[in-house]
Amino acid sequence: MAEMNAAERFALIKENLQEILNPDIIEGILAEGRNPKIYWGTSPTGKPHCGYFVPAVKIAQFLAAGCDVTILIADIHGFLDNLKAPIELVEYRAKYYEYTIRAMLQAVGVSTEKLRFVLGSSYQKSPEYVMDVYKLCSLVSEHDAKKAGAEVVKQSNNSPLSGLLYPILQVLDEQHLDCDVQFGGVDQRKLFAASTEWQPKLGYRKRAHLLNPMVPGLTGGKMSSSEEESKIDLLEAADTVRKKIRKAQAAPKEVENNGVLSFAEFVLLPASALKTGRPEFRVSRERDGLEPLVYHDIKQMQEDYKNDILTPQLLKPAVAEALVELMAPIITAFEASKEWQEITLKAYPPPEKKKKEKKQKDKGNRYPGAKTAETAELPLREIGVQEPTAD
Amino acid sequence: MAEMNAAERFALIKENLQEILNPDIIEGILAEGRNPKIYWGTSPTGKPHCGYFVPAVKIAQFLAAGCDVTILIADIHGFLDNLKAPIELVEYRAKYYEYTIRAMLQAVGVSTEKLRFVLGSSYQKSPEYVMDVYKLCSLVSEHDAKKAGAEVVKQSNNSPLSGLLYPILQVLDEQHLDCDVQFGGVDQRKLFAASTEWQPKLGYRKRAHLLNPMVPGLTGGKMSSSEEESKIDLLEAADTVRKKIRKAQAAPKEVENNGVLSFAEFVLLPASALKTGRPEFRVSRERDGLEPLVYHDIKQMQEDYKNDILTPQLLKPAVAEALVELMAPIITAFEASKEWQEITLKAYPPPEKKKKEKKQKDKGNRYPGAKTAETAELPLREIGVQEPTAD
């Protein structure tokens, strides 16, 4: 893929996105033969799960398109998230996030040479950054800050003040990470639009923004008390993966809000394209003595699903096997790294008692994007995956 | 005054104040024979004038009572005040404030040995301070921040976000300046009450708060286009001082909202007590061939004023002479200091053109406490003097 031209690079950058703000900024950089610098932020609060493959595959595409990618591990944000986790725990989780995300990208087969991890704490306490926070706060009205955060920050009279501060920080991160582009979920749209307005107020350049659609969760369904079932850990045993996907919600013929089908669309097809140069998804029909179904794009898959040719009973095991295959190198890397194993124990210490276990679970759920959860009050960074909602 | 006991020290600390929050904190420190550490903040935006004598005399009393006084020159706040003044200008003004305030205190005859000036920029950009800003913002609700700033911050949907941030900063300043007490105008009451609630959230100690009443301006009257007339500069020529006070509003027999009488109460009587050990205010009646009126407290002055024994025609020249006398050492100090003179030129450069002059004037008016002026949007620190209001 090293010989892609500007148009091909741009096509790969924007594949599967819902929207791009100020695309001319990216096109201009590509036209000059330079590499766009893209930043994505995530807060190390819960534990990354398979839903993280959605942004990870986009990031892998950015890397494959020759972009410089910065992943901001927003540890200060994580620490401030209700101050529930002590700062040391957050630092271990930050490390765990870095191990995990790097392994996910390597699992997709892209080089992570141009990938940079930055801890929020490494610059968000610097005098230059702080003066910019103070300055922007004196240039942006309460109304505009509120509007910018409307879809990412839980807003009420009793919400913490930090909710109004975070859009300010997230916009300044673009400048202080020296990036041209920020990537996030469509729920960040208002914040991204605000960035376009606010950067020039400080004499900084406008940024482009890449917006991922909200992708339904892999396992679907309501959030239940047996919450463990609704998430698939990145280091989950193959059999558990198969079992969880077998139980996943995927109504026959229904393409909308179908987490299993969406996972094929936003993760499995693009991941196979990154690995082999062409998207491909195979569905075995051996049990019925038929030839496998082989797909190269989501349209044909959706068509067959609507017509019940690709039934949930056929789709689910195929997605499970593809996912198990995608996860295999991550598990191998984890098993080979003593450091990563040790970090995991420190970042997610096993609960001591039955009673404490419940508390631990609550925390595990507060990963970036879980804004629908009632407990999540702070504006964590979106990973572009919709969570099952409790009703 | 070095041999004051705890009760005498406390009496001097609270003289003329409207209210004290958590006085037991101060009493406890005095009972242990220690020196209360008091902080007062001011933002170097406009140019200090004679109204600054009101807080200065209180600060002189704190010093005379053996307190350690810290004056925060809030230069970052000054700079952020609509970003109208470049940062270099604000730095010069900070220096000018320091020269002026020190000279005012020396003019009252107190030792400024235990007086410390601190620039906001010297610590408000430090990592420790910033983490506390982030933390407190995640612990304090928008509602509570708004409530705390209600009387010092201009609040509307379109007000800058910094208005909500400033109560946070002002409360944290108490901790980071390591003070036991904050001094300010009664309009800061809600913010001071918030401090009592917020400090423990961060594991910090509660502070006491000393509240000065709102004292009517010396010259009184409406703010007019000939605004220069409504303020008396600290370096004003004696004849101009006399002329301005002669024109000042002071209705006969009316004690309420009488700036000239209040100046005697809150500045001249306590200043004479600091200098001579006993409050005294003399009113010459030589012109009428009568003995002078000599007062040792404000009550008798007010009584005589109500009964028109102390007429405005008698009071005004007496106040003018006392003020001229109070200012004399400041002018002498200014004339003796080349550095101060140079700083003044840099801090308040003479307007180049007629057109620019007007702009300059606007800025000069935005001194701490001028919150009634429509241009003042940011929560500058109160000096305890009411400004004449435009209607």
Side-chain angles (χ1 to χ4, degrees):
Chain A
M1 295 212 200
E3 310 106 46
M4 283 190 283
N5 64 30
E8 288 163 340
R9 294 176 76 184
F10 192 48
L12 187 53
I13 289 169
K14 66 184 183 182
E15 188 182 299
N16 271 348
L17 291 179
Q18 179 158 331
E19 194 180 359
I20 304 181
L21 308 180
N22 298 306
D24 48 305
I25 292 173
I26 302 172
E27 287 174 299
I29 292 168
L30 291 172
E32 289 174 29
R34 290 189 292 122
N35 303 329
K37 291 177 276 186
I38 302 183
Y39 124 67
W40 177 69
T42 183
S43 178
T45 42
K47 200 175 179 202
H49 51 74
C50 282
Y52 276 67
F53 268 120
V54 174
V57 159
K58 270 315 302 175
I59 289 167
Q61 288 179 323
F62 300 150
L63 288 168
C67 301
D68 295 332
V69 176
T70 297
I71 294 182
L72 167 63
I73 306 278
D75 56 346
I76 291 184
H77 290 63
F79 169 62
L80 293 175
D81 181 14
N82 293 332
L83 303 179
K84 277 181 192 156
I87 189 81
E88 306 78 44
L89 197 70
V90 172
E91 293 312 321
Y92 290 130
R93 290 188 181 180
K95 271 272 157 238
Y96 182 86
Y97 268 60
E98 186 171 337
Y99 272 114
T100 313
I101 294 169
R102 192 181 293 277
M104 290 173 89
L105 295 169
Q106 285 167 344
V108 180
V110 299
S111 161
T112 55
E113 206 179 79
K114 287 167 120 186
L115 179 68
R116 174 177 71 137
F117 285 90
V118 178
L119 279 178
S121 58
S122 70
Y123 69 94
Q124 286 165 348
K125 295 188 284 184
S126 73
E128 301 73 34
Y129 189 83
V130 175
M131 270 310 279
D132 274 351
V133 171
Y134 292 153
K135 270 193 214 172
L136 196 51
C137 281
S138 76
L139 292 169
V140 167
S141 71
E142 192 189 319
H143 169 265
D144 288 354
K146 203 166 260 184
K147 199 176 98 182
E151 287 178 35
V152 273
V153 183
K154 189 176 171 184
Q155 289 180 341
S156 85
N157 227 358
N158 281 319
S159 302
L161 197 56
S162 44
L164 292 180
L165 204 55
Y166 283 7
I168 301 282
L169 268 67
Q170 197 172 335
V171 163
L172 285 175
D173 288 339
E174 296 177 341
Q175 173 69 23
H176 288 261
L177 293 171
D178 186 27
C179 287
D180 308 305
V181 185
Q182 190 180 166
F183 165 58
V186 281
D187 57 341
Q188 310 262 326
R189 198 187 185 288
K190 284 178 180 168
L191 194 147
F192 289 171
S195 167
T196 306
E197 267 182 61
W198 297 352
Q199 298 290 3
K201 283 183 198 273
L202 291 167
Y204 296 150
R205 67 190 193 279
K206 271 198 301 190
R207 265 63 185 198
H209 292 92
L210 304 172
L211 285 74
N212 231 8
M214 301 310 287
V215 178
L218 175 55
T219 54
K222 304 282 182 197
M223 191 177 292
S224 62
S225 54
S226 61
E227 191 193 307
E228 272 306 310
E229 295 300 301
S230 68
K231 279 185 312 200
I232 298 174
D233 193 86
L234 284 162
L235 303 170
E236 202 91 72
D239 276 351
T240 317
V241 174
R242 291 185 188 107
K243 202 181 89 187
K244 285 184 177 179
I245 294 186
R246 204 183 309 131
K247 286 186 180 176
Q249 228 177 38
K253 299 193 228 176
E254 271 181 38
V255 164
E256 295 296 311
N257 226 6
N258 185 323
V260 183
L261 204 52
S262 293
F263 199 78
E265 177 178 4
F266 290 100
V267 177
L268 301 174
L269 280 166
S272 80
L274 286 166
K275 279 193 278 192
T276 66
R278 191 190 183 196
E280 189 182 280
F281 184 74
R282 297 177 80 87
V283 180
S284 166
R285 294 191 294 179
E286 220 176 325
R287 219 171 47 175
D288 306 323
L290 292 168
E291 284 297 296
L293 295 165
V294 182
Y295 298 103
H296 298 292
D297 62 53
I298 192 64
K299 286 215 173 68
Q300 191 56 50
M301 276 184 80
Q302 288 173 333
E303 203 54 42
D304 283 4
Y305 195 84
K306 277 182 203 160
N307 297 323
D308 221 19
I309 296 166
L310 178 59
T311 61
Q313 291 73 25
L314 283 173
L315 176 66
K316 284 179 179 181
V319 164
E321 287 320 307
L323 177 55
V324 165
E325 198 186 315
L326 197 58
M327 285 163 61
I330 303 177
I331 293 171
T332 306
F334 177 77
E335 282 167 356
S337 168
K338 209 161 184 115
E339 295 84 7
W340 187 358
Q341 292 166 29
E342 282 170 3
I343 284 291
T344 308
L345 275 175
K346 286 175 180 165
Y348 306 97
E352 278 173 35
K353 284 190 213 166
K354 202 73 194 164
K355 227 175 178 180
K356 280 197 175 170
E357 198 178 339
K358 192 140 193 223
K359 210 175 169 192
Q360 198 69 17
K361 271 185 176 180
D362 274 355
K363 233 198 283 296
N365 186 41
R366 200 172 303 108
Y367 68 88
K371 72 180 163 44
T372 44
E374 283 219 85
T375 43
E377 289 204 350
L378 292 186
L380 301 172
R381 303 302 172 82
E382 189 52 61
I383 62 156
V385 177
Q386 285 171 355
E387 262 310 274
T389 43
D391 54 0
Chain B
M1 298 210 196
E3 311 105 46
M4 282 190 285
N5 63 32
E8 289 163 340
R9 295 176 76 184
F10 192 47
L12 187 53
I13 289 169
K14 66 185 183 182
E15 188 182 300
N16 271 348
L17 290 179
Q18 178 158 332
E19 194 181 359
I20 305 181
L21 308 181
N22 298 307
D24 49 303
I25 292 172
I26 303 173
E27 288 176 297
I29 292 168
L30 291 171
E32 291 175 28
R34 291 189 291 123
N35 303 329
K37 293 176 276 184
I38 302 184
Y39 123 68
W40 177 68
T42 184
S43 179
T45 42
K47 201 176 179 202
H49 50 74
C50 282
Y52 276 67
F53 268 120
V54 174
V57 160
K58 269 315 302 175
I59 289 166
Q61 289 179 323
F62 301 150
L63 289 168
C67 302
D68 294 333
V69 177
T70 298
I71 295 184
L72 167 64
I73 308 278
D75 57 345
I76 291 184
H77 290 63
F79 169 62
L80 294 175
D81 182 14
N82 293 332
L83 301 179
K84 275 179 192 159
I87 189 84
E88 306 79 43
L89 198 68
V90 172
E91 294 311 321
Y92 290 130
R93 291 188 179 181
K95 270 270 158 240
Y96 182 87
Y97 268 60
E98 187 171 337
Y99 273 114
T100 312
I101 294 169
R102 193 182 291 277
M104 291 172 89
L105 295 170
Q106 285 165 347
V108 180
V110 300
S111 160
T112 56
E113 206 179 79
K114 287 167 120 185
L115 179 68
R116 174 177 72 138
F117 285 91
V118 178
L119 281 177
S121 58
S122 70
Y123 69 94
Q124 286 165 348
K125 294 188 282 185
S126 73
E128 300 73 32
Y129 189 83
V130 175
M131 269 311 278
D132 273 352
V133 171
Y134 292 152
K135 269 193 217 174
L136 196 51
C137 282
S138 77
L139 291 170
V140 167
S141 72
E142 192 190 320
H143 170 265
D144 288 353
K146 203 165 258 182
K147 200 175 96 182
E151 287 179 34
V152 274
V153 183
K154 191 176 168 183
Q155 290 180 341
S156 84
N157 227 357
N158 282 318
S159 302
L161 197 55
S162 44
L164 293 182
L165 205 55
Y166 283 6
I168 301 283
L169 268 67
Q170 197 171 333
V171 163
L172 285 175
D173 288 339
E174 298 178 338
Q175 173 69 22
H176 289 260
L177 292 171
D178 187 26
C179 288
D180 308 306
V181 185
Q182 190 180 166
F183 165 59
V186 281
D187 58 341
Q188 310 262 326
R189 198 187 185 287
K190 284 177 182 169
L191 195 148
F192 289 171
S195 167
T196 305
E197 267 183 61
W198 297 352
Q199 298 289 4
K201 282 183 198 275
L202 290 167
Y204 296 150
R205 67 189 193 280
K206 273 197 301 187
R207 266 63 185 197
H209 292 92
L210 302 173
L211 285 74
N212 231 7
M214 301 309 287
V215 178
L218 176 55
T219 55
K222 304 283 183 198
M223 191 177 293
S224 63
S225 53
S226 60
E227 192 195 308
E228 271 308 309
E229 295 301 300
S230 68
K231 277 184 315 197
I232 298 175
D233 193 87
L234 285 163
L235 303 170
E236 202 92 72
D239 277 352
T240 318
V241 173
R242 292 184 188 106
K243 204 182 86 187
K244 285 186 175 177
I245 293 186
R246 202 183 310 130
K247 287 187 181 174
Q249 230 178 37
K253 300 194 228 173
E254 271 180 37
V255 165
E256 296 296 313
N257 227 7
N258 184 322
V260 184
L261 203 53
S262 294
F263 199 77
E265 177 178 3
F266 291 99
V267 178
L268 301 174
L269 279 166
S272 80
L274 286 168
K275 278 194 279 193
T276 68
R278 190 187 183 198
E280 188 181 280
F281 184 73
R282 299 178 78 87
V283 181
S284 166
R285 294 190 296 180
E286 220 175 326
R287 218 172 48 178
D288 307 323
L290 293 167
E291 284 297 296
L293 296 164
V294 182
Y295 298 103
H296 298 293
D297 61 54
I298 190 66
K299 286 214 173 69
Q300 190 58 49
M301 278 186 79
Q302 287 173 335
E303 202 54 42
D304 283 5
Y305 195 84
K306 278 183 201 159
N307 298 322
D308 221 19
I309 297 166
L310 177 59
T311 62
Q313 291 73 26
L314 284 171
L315 176 66
K316 283 179 178 180
V319 164
E321 288 320 307
L323 176 55
V324 166
E325 199 186 313
L326 197 57
M327 285 163 60
I330 304 178
I331 293 170
T332 307
F334 177 76
E335 282 169 356
S337 168
K338 215 168 178 111
E339 294 84 7
W340 187 358
Q341 291 166 32
E342 283 171 4
I343 284 292
T344 307
L345 275 174
K346 287 176 179 163
Y348 306 96
E352 279 174 32
K353 284 188 213 166
K354 200 78 192 159
K355 227 175 177 180
K356 281 198 176 168
E357 198 178 339
K358 191 135 192 228
K359 212 176 166 191
Q360 200 69 19
K361 272 187 177 178
D362 276 353
K363 235 199 280 296
N365 187 39
R366 199 172 303 107
Y367 70 88
K371 72 181 165 45
T372 45
E374 283 220 84
T375 43
E377 289 205 351
L378 291 188
L380 301 172
R381 303 302 172 85
E382 188 53 61
I383 62 155
V385 177
Q386 285 173 355
E387 264 308 272
T389 43
D391 54 2

